[in-house]
Amino acid sequence: MTSTRPIATDSAALLSVAQMQAADRAAVAAGISSLALMEAAGRAIAREIQKRWPRQHALILCGPGNNGGDGFVVARLLHQAGWPVRAALLGEVSALNGDAAVNARRWIEAGGAVASLDNALFDRRPLVVDALFGAGLTRGLGGAAAQAVARINADKLTCIAVDVPSGVHGDTGLIMPTAAAGPGVAAAGSAPQCALTVTFFRPKPAHLLYPGRGLCGQVVVADIGIPDSVLDGIQPQTWRNDPSLWTLPRPLAESHKHKRGHAVVFGGPDTGAARLAAEAARRAGAGLLTLAVPAAAAAVYAVAQPGAFVVACDAPNAIEGILADKRRNAVLIGPGFGVGAATCHTVLKLLGTDRAVVLDADALTSFAGDPSLLREALRARTAPTVLTPHEAEFNRLFPGAGSKLARTRLAASATGATVLFKGADTVVAAPDGRAVINTNAPPWLATAGSGDVLAGVILGLVAQGMAGWWAACAAAWLHGDAGQRLGQGLIAEDLPGAIANSIKSVLSEEVTEKI
């Protein structure tokens, strides 16, 4: 029942800028010339452009580094294919070094010219290739580069990015600010809105994290000849969330309901959220489920969930009675439970047990006034714990700036819990530094009750013995897949049934792979 499948360092791996640079160096050390890698990169970009757009005026914006070298390859290859091409360089050709200088020379020898970056180059509304800086840039755009980006965006020109849109940080997906506009005040940065981004070997976090993800357009990861074996030395710690990373619990033929876990949802007087979570936990495979709820609301819960146990839990000391049954192995608290000191007390009591605990919604908000109280209780635990904050809840508990990926990792490390930071680019981080970015959530999941269902799916998987981090990763993907299946117009009540179909599909594919 328990998932122990190791993460495969395959196509799901994401590489930081530094790791990609290490992959390039490892490929060169293995005997692949850096010039050959640049030629392959430029060829991949030119090929993807010609797949999508008819022959037209093209403007290749080249920066002073290797990204610009890729651009000169693209210019030469499109020119050879009969495209009218202009190449513009940020800087002087004489200042180029290494492979970039070689490819600038090859472009000139092929009959091309190198213009200075100037606003007039955009007057014909060309297709633009952004080969200015890529992922390695560590500061915001300024000067001629910023002016070029402003023109691309203002005129809504078709733009293709080499690696990442210039101005976007490759590791964070954030648009980097420009120089200070005043004492301690950084001006807003800029980056082009692209229709296509072509990157190489493996994606970077910026391709999956907003706002970078929204600026990339379609992302194509091109094979330029770097062998997969270089990943052995890099050992990635970030992945795109995908069923290849985890294995869902599958009951054996002789299993019975008690072997499939007994989940507990602590509900409050607002019954809707806890009922959604309870149904989702059952649809995710929990063999039994108990709703621990106020006595005054027990009848409502019982009518809505006839397949669940409903027990009254009005006093904090009732928790011991409910958890006296050791088969009740995983609990969820938060959806519809209520915000306040009583919730804090109940949460701390549950964290003091040896059960797996999922904290969502009100269970997180209740600690906004004293986040350290929750962090200390979490650090003292050895049993699995999963936190599922949305952005506002996360910021209350873990204030600070920086990338979503880095902040989620820091929160997981600081608490010893798995942290699922919800959003269009949900990040799930484990205390040991592993993290995934989820990419399949459609916008119509932004509806009341959707998060309650997600928390319930995590509970159902953890109850079946799935480790907390794996369960959170799997639940995030299943939640997104269910949203895609239902499409626009879904409401939270639709999701549990669709979750069951998503699980069925994943398990069926696993069987097919084995056959």
Side-chain angles (χ1 to χ4, degrees):
M1 293 283 291
T2 302
S3 171
T4 57
R5 183 175 182 171
I7 283 186
T9 52
D10 56 7
S11 59
L14 304 176
L15 299 185
S16 68
V17 174
Q19 288 173 329
M20 187 62 213
Q21 291 168 346
D24 285 335
R25 291 193 297 271
V28 171
I32 304 169
S33 77
S34 58
L35 193 60
L37 292 174
M38 185 173 285
E39 181 72 19
R43 191 169 296 279
I45 299 159
R47 180 176 63 247
E48 296 299 331
I49 290 171
Q50 292 175 86
K51 276 183 186 178
R52 291 166 176 77
W53 291 282
R55 193 177 300 166
Q56 59 188 283
H57 287 282
L59 173 61
I60 318 300
L61 306 180
C62 299
N66 283 342
N67 219 48
D70 295 339
F72 283 118
V73 176
V74 176
R76 171 168 47 84
L77 294 175
L78 289 180
H79 171 71
Q80 290 172 354
W83 287 52
V85 178
R86 299 188 77 179
L89 176 63
L90 185 64
E92 301 295 330
V93 174
S94 59
L96 295 174
N97 296 307
D99 297 337
V102 171
N103 277 303
R105 185 173 65 250
R106 288 178 176 177
W107 161 243
I108 294 168
E109 290 171 352
V114 180
S116 296
L117 197 53
D118 183 86
N119 216 23
L121 295 167
F122 298 91
D123 289 345
R124 289 185 173 181
R125 297 189 58 81
L127 178 146
V128 181
V129 175
D130 167 22
L132 288 169
F133 292 108
L137 190 66
T138 57
R139 64 187 185 281
L141 300 180
Q147 292 171 14
V149 166
R151 184 68 183 271
I152 291 168
N153 290 341
D155 290 358
K156 298 183 177 172
L157 300 178
T158 299
C159 186
I160 295 88
V162 177
D163 197 15
V164 299
S166 292
V168 173
H169 195 291
D171 291 342
T172 69
L174 299 174
I175 300 174
M176 291 175 286
T178 57
V185 179
S190 61
Q193 177 63 61
C194 297
L196 171 70
T197 295
V198 182
T199 191
F200 317 107
F201 185 53
R202 293 295 185 271
K204 298 175 180 65
H207 297 124
L208 279 64
L209 294 170
Y210 284 100
R213 177 169 153 189
L215 292 167
C216 285
Q218 182 184 6
V219 177
V220 171
V221 182
D223 179 0
I224 59 173
I226 299 176
D228 289 346
S229 59
V230 306
L231 291 174
D232 296 337
I234 294 171
Q235 297 185 337
Q237 286 286 288
T238 312
W239 296 267
R240 174 182 54 80
N241 196 15
D242 184 86
S244 65
L245 304 181
W246 32 265
T247 299
L248 292 174
R250 182 189 293 275
L252 302 174
E254 65 273 22
S255 291
H256 53 76
K257 60 189 177 185
H258 290 288
K259 286 189 174 181
R260 299 185 69 189
H262 190 150
V264 181
V265 175
F266 284 83
D270 176 7
T271 68
R275 285 155 50 194
L276 284 168
E279 183 176 355
R282 295 172 63 205
R283 294 284 189 182
L288 297 106
L289 186 133
T290 292
L291 278 153
V293 303
V300 176
Y301 281 103
V303 169
Q305 293 288 328
F309 297 105
V310 177
V311 297
C313 183
D314 286 302
N317 59 10
I319 293 173
E320 284 87 348
I322 292 168
L323 297 185
D325 184 344
K326 294 296 184 181
R327 293 175 297 183
R328 288 174 170 152
N329 61 328
V331 302
L332 164 65
I333 182 170
F337 196 78
V339 175
T343 300
C344 290
H345 180 77
T346 304
V347 169
L348 293 175
K349 203 168 186 67
L350 290 172
L351 292 178
T353 71
D354 61 356
R355 310 306 161 86
V357 174
V358 181
L359 300 181
D360 184 45
D362 295 346
L364 302 173
T365 299
S366 293
F367 289 91
D370 188 3
S372 63
L373 187 64
L374 177 61
R375 289 197 294 265
E376 290 169 7
L378 291 168
R379 284 194 295 266
R381 277 177 63 78
T382 56
T385 317
V386 182
L387 314 184
T388 61
H390 58 54
E391 184 173 11
E393 292 162 347
F394 187 96
N395 289 338
R396 293 184 197 115
L397 296 177
F398 309 105
S403 80
K404 186 170 187 175
L405 179 60
R407 293 182 67 199
T408 310
R409 274 197 166 109
L410 186 61
S413 175
T415 59
T418 293
V419 178
L420 185 153
F421 188 168
K422 291 185 284 198
D425 52 356
T426 290
V427 175
V428 186
D432 62 7
R434 293 173 296 166
V436 302
I437 304 172
N438 200 68
T439 62
N440 71 342
W444 32 87
L445 277 175
T447 185
S450 175
D452 304 316
V453 172
L454 174 61
V457 177
I458 297 171
L459 175 69
L461 295 176
V462 170
Q464 294 172 83
M466 205 170 182
W469 189 65
W470 296 115
C473 294
W477 189 91
L478 292 167
H479 192 247
D481 186 67
Q484 290 184 0
R485 289 170 184 270
L486 291 167
Q488 189 168 2
L490 73 83
I491 57 175
E493 291 89 330
D494 301 328
L495 284 167
I499 291 283
N501 289 331
S502 296
I503 291 173
K504 180 180 178 181
S505 177
V506 171
L507 292 177
S508 297
E509 288 178 9
E510 288 179 0
V511 170
T512 302
E513 287 175 6
K514 290 176 182 177
I515 293 173

